[in-house]
Amino acid sequence: FLSFHICPPVHPNVSQGCQGGCATCSDYNGCLSCKPRLFFVLERIGMKQIGVCLSSCPSGYYGTRYPDINKCTKCKADCDTCFNKNFCTKCKSGFYLHLGKCLDNCPEGLEANNHTMECVSIVHCEASEWSPWSPCMKKGKTCGFKRGTETRVREITQHPSAKGNLCPPTSETRKCTVQRKKCQKGERGTIKLTKCAYLNLHNLRKFHFFPGTHLILSPVSKTLKCMPLTEYVGCKLQNIDV
């Protein structure tokens, strides 16, 4: 007996010996279907579109898996990259991302970040608490006057964003009155230091300062006098010009 094997008809433009992940293809249109788990996408070359099969969708496309085909679909026109047709992850130039949407302007209560191109919360300025008032002084002196001024300061702990509330003043000065005391010859007042320091003033070669003391500068006599208080912590540093 003679036996015959009848082959199914094949379209003359369809090839079974495809490369590059194609299951079926044609010389003119490229891939027509893909091997399992690969995504089918149409790429434009001039006026022509050809099919290609990729392991993942290119930028500007999102992938969807169907029982018979895995397909790449182009994101919306204002969307540079997207998770699906309704959720953008990055917008094209001129648009701001907010909750998966690309907007011309950010909603009320938000502001545009031109670096990330996203709508972000408005940040207002924040400042620390005021410091204690400084000693009453006049022209840098703490003696030889009755009416002077005292100052307190604070630090900016959070700088504002573009639409945030501006920062408040970081210093305040008010008038003060003290009992007049006569300055000693050459005395300029009392300056409180809060940490160990080495000073090279008036050719002074060496000086050990103890925190918790007051330093009196006497330019005429070119000496430094320390008035001890209650706590002392010694330190010794190398010569450093200031």
Side-chain angles (χ1 to χ4, degrees), residues 4 6 9 26 29 62 99 108 114 120 186 207 212 226 229:
F4 298 92
I6 301 176
S26 73
N29 293 318
Y62 65 93
L99 300 178
E108 186 176 354
N114 291 319
V120 297
F207 174 63
C226 286
L229 296 180

Side-chain angles (χ1 to χ4, degrees), residues 134-138 145 147-151 173-176:
S134 69
C136 193
M137 302 183 70
K138 185 176 183 180
F145 65 91
R147 292 181 178 86
T149 57
E150 55 187 6
T151 305
T173 301
R174 69 182 182 184
K175 294 181 179 180
C176 55

Side-chain angles (χ1 to χ4, degrees), residues 37-50:
R37 303 199 64 78
L38 297 182
F39 287 93
F40 177 81
V41 61
L42 287 173
E43 288 187 350
R44 180 175 294 277
I45 301 178
M47 298 297 294
K48 180 181 176 182
Q49 281 188 327
I50 62 169

Side-chain angles (χ1 to χ4, degrees), residues 43 65 70 75 89 91 162 177 195 217 229 235 239:
E43 288 187 350
R65 295 188 183 275
N70 301 322
C75 300
T89 54
C91 298
T177 303
K195 62 181 179 179
L217 304 182
L229 296 180
C235 62
N239 291 356

Side-chain angles (χ1 to χ4, degrees), residues 213-226:
T213 67
H214 287 82
L215 175 65
I216 299 177
L217 304 182
S218 303
V220 174
S221 60
K222 298 183 180 180
T223 61
L224 294 171
K225 299 177 181 179
C226 286

